[in-house]
Amino acid sequence: MRAADAFIKALEKEGVEVIFGIPGGAILEIYDALYDSNIRHITTRHEQGATHAADGYARASGKVGVVFATSGPGATNTVTGIANAYMDSSPLVVFTGQVARHLIGNDAFQEADITGITMPITKHNYLVTDPKSLLRIVKEAFHIASTGRPGPVLVDIPKDVSQADIEFEYPSKIDLMGYKPKYEGHPMQIKRAVELIMKAERPIILAGGGVRISNAQKELTELAEGIPAFVVTTLMGKGAISEYHPLCLGFVGMHGSKYANYALSESDLIIAVGCRFSDRTTGNASLFAPNAKIIHIDIDPAEIGKNIRVDVPIVGDAKRILSQLKKMIEYKQRKEWGDKVKEWREKYPLKYEKDGFKPQFVVEKACEFFPDAIITTEVGQNQMWAAQFFKVKYPRQFISSGGLGTMGFGFPAAMGAKVACPDKEVIDIAGDGSFLMNIQELATCVHYKIPVKVFILNNGYLGMVRQWQQLFYKERYSATCIGCEKMSFEKIAKGFGAIGITVEKPSEVEDAFKLVKENYDVPVVVDFRVDFKANVLPMVPPGKGLKDIIEVEV
Ligand SMILES: Cc1ncc(C[n+]2csc(CCOP(=O)(O)OP(=O)(O)O)c2C)c(N)n1
């Protein structure tokens, strides 16, 4: 059978339901074979959009996202999306077409060395040099992408390989030497962790994206209640416990609340779960939680001790380890600590200035109107306001580009999330600059009737950069004014065939949201023309410790 046909059959066996991509010469055999399959294909308008969409699909569903792109520019356009998925541990398999084997290395038309290019940003990648190895590689790619610490895998398939004749023999299982993720935590380390927990007077759980990945929200919440310990989350960890839970202190780090940062800094025991202690979370690492012992639970041994010294490492799956810990610990009253955190919470709530049309107000209202919606974000101020003011309830509700910080991620990711969860409202909270970076996917949403909503916090600036210029570069606003208040996102949306709405003042916000709700089945873009001077506060200035956080003056 033609290798391309066998390949599509293999994807069917893997349970692939949807592929995001764009065809082209080197991958045409595969697209030809796809014609006879029931797998849904969404033709995006840019390969970066396809990759982010597959990433959003993966994060919303927990399944592997699949991308097709042709050789050369098609393949290189996927690079940002792959790096983004790599940094945030999102399972993707990206299949790229390649020029025929005899042309590789000859600067052939649309040739790019995509396996070379993506080596440092994939969990693993392959160039298929022998048609007989194609199906085994497909099996391995899905296995590697989705097990252990998930991540993107790229498979580059030369055109003559997809044209070759092969038998359809799909491996039922694989055994990869050197790749054996460890799921059970070491019993001695678990015992040591329990001892530390029982001794601690000021314990706190720092929950990262690994909690979502291992579907451990229930176990994490039960452990927090059982100790009891307050929970702070990283950006990726939002939803690791419901943010309405009394023990949850929300988002921590550079733009986390003052009370969450204080609680983390003053704790005597941090139980870090599935987080990588990124600089955005820890602030200056040498000043991080000076009095705390640290237990670090992570499936990836390479994360242990990478950024922060660790007292008890536990390598394994968060869900299993948390449930073991829960069974071994006993509840202990820690009244003084509880009172202290309560005091910080009351004294330093998240707040913002109320004059003018504030972006925070839009996000707060969105949370009131769409409490169960999946929220994706772009990158910049919009992202941090969404993290601060949109309280989420469940683990796959908040989808954001954490590690790479990719402007242009949120909108295609929303498209992918909506494909994964058609019954959920999906909203991209956007900046004007970021939305413009993948705005072409509006055409995809309209064409395939993928009714995502985009709420642009339009401040006419590359807002987060403008904020840094204001605070740290003496208000020298070099190259950050993009003037989006002078153009009409409403008309642009309409031009694409979507609904467009402009909102100029706070009193119009509720009506706009009602209109969004009425148009459940259609893509809608709402252009909120907010105060351009609004800043994201509190903020830990770069190089400072979490306790040096600057507050908003109101
Ligand atoms: C692709 C990309 N280019 C540049 C940056 C650097 N950057 C970080 S935030 C930001 C400004 C974002 O502006 P906008 O999307 O309008 O959002 P706002 O901060 O105003 O909410 C920029 C340029 C980035 N994160 N990603």
Side-chain angles (χ1 to χ4, degrees), residues 163-375:
Q163 287 168 331
D165 226 7
I166 59 171
E167 298 287 319
F168 183 78
E169 283 164 11
Y170 198 57
S172 56
K173 58 177 201 288
I174 37 173
D175 186 28
L176 286 169
M177 284 235 302
Y179 179 72
K180 303 262 185 280
K182 196 168 159 314
Y183 294 96
E184 299 296 342
H186 193 289
M188 274 309 291
Q189 303 293 44
I190 291 180
K191 196 163 154 270
R192 282 180 64 203
V194 171
E195 284 163 13
L196 282 187
I197 293 172
M198 293 320 300
K199 258 198 241 150
E201 290 301 328
R202 301 188 304 279
I204 197 157
I205 297 176
L206 170 61
V211 178
R212 157 178 49 87
I213 291 168
S214 90
N215 295 316
Q217 187 197 32
K218 181 169 157 279
E219 289 73 12
L220 184 107
T221 308
E222 285 177 0
L223 179 67
E225 289 167 348
I227 295 176
F230 291 102
V231 182
V232 293
T233 72
T234 67
L235 186 72
M236 289 295 104
K238 251 178 95 73
I241 180 171
S242 165
E243 291 187 297
Y244 294 90
H245 192 290
L247 286 173
C248 182
L249 304 181
F251 168 55
V252 79
M254 182 176 267
H255 291 295
S257 66
K258 199 164 180 177
Y259 58 83
N261 281 332
Y262 273 26
L264 189 61
S265 299
E266 290 295 304
S267 65
D268 65 354
L269 176 69
I270 296 173
I271 307 161
V273 191
C275 83
R276 59 193 176 88
F277 289 106
S278 88
D279 51 298
R280 283 294 186 272
T281 295
T282 62
N284 184 331
S286 66
L287 304 174
F288 181 70
N291 304 315
K293 295 255 185 248
I294 298 181
I295 301 167
H296 190 181
I297 303 167
D298 206 291
I299 197 146
D300 183 354
E303 281 304 330
I304 309 279
K306 187 178 84 181
N307 297 332
I308 292 287
R309 61 168 176 84
V310 167
D311 298 285
V312 180
I314 310 181
V315 175
D317 172 49
K319 191 180 176 83
R320 295 186 200 189
I321 293 162
L322 292 172
S323 101
Q324 265 175 296
L325 286 175
K326 165 70 188 24
K327 285 189 203 123
M328 293 167 75
I329 49 118
E330 277 168 42
Y331 187 93
K332 177 173 147 189
Q333 271 282 356
R334 293 172 180 90
K335 187 164 175 328
E336 227 173 281
W337 180 229
D339 289 347
K340 189 82 214 155
V341 173
K342 186 164 171 262
E343 189 189 315
W344 284 326
R345 248 182 170 171
E346 282 164 7
K347 204 161 157 198
Y348 308 117
L350 275 176
K351 57 188 176 201
Y352 58 91
E353 295 157 345
K354 294 283 157 77
D355 58 319
F357 188 9
K358 295 292 186 240
Q360 295 95 326
F361 173 77
V362 175
V363 178
E364 255 182 354
K365 278 277 160 216
C367 185
E368 247 172 75
F369 266 76
F370 307 95
D372 296 311
I374 294 178
I375 297 300

Side-chain angles (χ1 to χ4, degrees), residues 37 61 157 160 188 267 309 319 419 437 499 516 518 526:
S37 168
S61 67
I157 310 174
D160 61 321
M188 274 309 291
S267 65
R309 61 168 176 84
K319 191 180 176 83
V419 170
M437 285 205 181
I499 290 180
V516 168
E518 280 161 26
V526 192

Side-chain angles (χ1 to χ4, degrees), residues 58-60 88-91 208-217 236-240 395-400:
R59 295 191 207 201
D88 288 349
S89 312
S90 193
V211 178
R212 157 178 49 87
I213 291 168
S214 90
N215 295 316
Q217 187 197 32
M236 289 295 104
K238 251 178 95 73
R396 298 185 181 279
Q397 193 179 355
F398 187 83
I399 296 176
S400 190

Side-chain angles (χ1 to χ4, degrees), residues 35 41 74 95 119 179 220 235 252 256 298 391 438 447 537:
Y35 193 75
H41 183 275
F95 294 103
M119 186 88 78
Y179 179 72
L220 184 107
L235 186 72
V252 79
D298 206 291
K391 285 170 93 175
N438 273 313
H447 180 73
L537 289 166

Side-chain angles (χ1 to χ4, degrees), residues 481-513:
C481 175
I482 54 172
C484 289
E485 73 281 7
K486 295 190 203 81
M487 51 186 251
S488 168
F489 280 109
E490 177 181 334
K491 281 192 192 151
I492 293 169
K494 287 178 178 160
F496 274 110
I499 290 180
I501 304 171
T502 308
V503 177
E504 312 259 8
K505 43 184 190 287
S507 58
E508 296 168 0
V509 171
E510 292 201 358
D511 283 347
F513 285 155

